[in-house]
Amino acid sequence: MVKILAAALVLGLSATAWAEGKDCGELKSEIEAKIKKNGVEKFSLEIVDKDAQADGKVVGTCEAGTKKIVYKKG
């Protein structure tokens, strides 16, 4: 059940978090607040270059599309 909730949360964030023009720190904070509000406690969000390989689910882009925010459970 937790895996389903986490997957739904990530997919929901993907739909709303593609705010390419936002500052990465600001967007990361907003995404983090949404994840915590949904009861997920153990996770990480990492800001990486858009072309970088990253282990996890991309939940947003920022800095005019030059960076992405990656969600990883645990």
Side-chain angles (χ1 to χ4, degrees), residues 2 10 13-14 17 19 25 27-28 31 40-41 43 54-55 67 71:
V2 173
V10 169
L13 288 173
S14 294
L27 183 58
K28 181 180 175 185
I31 294 170
V40 179
E41 295 178 13
F43 66 94
D55 185 28
K67 298 190 184 278
Y71 166 88

Side-chain angles (χ1 to χ4, degrees), residues 45-65:
L45 293 173
E46 182 180 8
I47 300 169
V48 298
D49 289 332
K50 72 172 186 164
D51 297 326
Q53 292 284 347
D55 185 28
K57 172 74 176 168
V58 176
V59 293
T61 60
C62 50
E63 305 290 333

Side-chain angles (χ1 to χ4, degrees), residues 1 3 5 11 13 16 25 27 29 32 39-40 45 58 69:
M1 183 67 162
K3 288 181 182 180
L5 175 63
L11 291 175
L13 288 173
T16 61
L27 183 58
S29 294
E32 185 175 355
V40 179
L45 293 173
V58 176
I69 300 174

